[in-house]
Amino acid sequence: MLELTMASVSEADAGATAGMLMAEVPSLPGAVLRVGRDRNVCRLVTPDDWLFVSRTHLEFRCGPDGAWSVSWLRGSNPDPASEVRLLSGGTARALVYGGAAPLARGGSGEIVIQERSGPRSVHVGYFHEG
């Protein structure tokens, strides 16, 4: 099982947790959960006018062995309007535009989508049952 929580934060409401979304997905091979602005494709959706987030920005995918990974999907622009960081086990690392990273079984962390030209960010916390 993969559990996700998402909060969209702007400078004005940095301490707020209102608007937090949650999703759970069973660890079945081929299971997918997407994060972005497109309500037709994504289970966790950011505000429509937050253009630094692509229509489909992040994709969580369960592999054949039940292990999860996260991918930063390439959008229609060659250069992204955001940066994505993966925070896990006390370390932070950048996720490359178009790249992917595994999520440790039994682990938890956070993926942060940070607007490059402003104070807004999207925080997706995760817990991957072992």
Side-chain angles (χ1 to χ4, degrees):
M1 179 78 64
L2 181 70
E3 297 175 6
L4 300 170
T5 58
M6 184 185 84
S8 302
V9 180
S10 67
E11 190 172 58
D13 59 36
T17 56
M20 185 173 284
L21 303 172
M22 299 179 76
E24 289 185 351
V25 184
S27 293
L28 300 172
V32 174
L33 186 140
R34 294 179 184 94
V35 176
R37 291 183 292 122
D38 187 340
R39 294 183 188 320
N40 295 318
V41 179
C42 301
R43 283 236 346 245
L44 295 175
V45 181
T46 63
D48 291 335
D49 62 343
W50 285 32
L51 300 180
F52 71 97
V53 177
S54 301
R55 286 180 180 88
T56 308
H57 202 91
L58 298 176
E59 181 177 84
F60 293 85
R61 181 173 293 275
C62 186
D65 60 352
W68 285 88
S69 64
V70 61
S71 299
W72 180 7
L73 303 176
R74 293 185 76 74
S76 57
N77 296 322
D79 294 319
S82 62
E83 297 174 351
V84 176
R85 292 184 316 278
L86 176 62
L87 310 164
S88 180
T91 62
R93 61 184 165 129
L95 189 58
V96 178
Y97 186 45
L103 302 179
R105 286 182 191 257
S108 63
E110 182 176 29
I111 292 113
V112 178
I113 304 168
Q114 179 68 51
E115 181 180 28
R116 283 192 173 171
S117 63
R120 298 178 296 186
S121 60
V122 176
H123 298 256
V124 180
Y126 69 87
F127 174 72
H128 181 196
E129 289 182 358

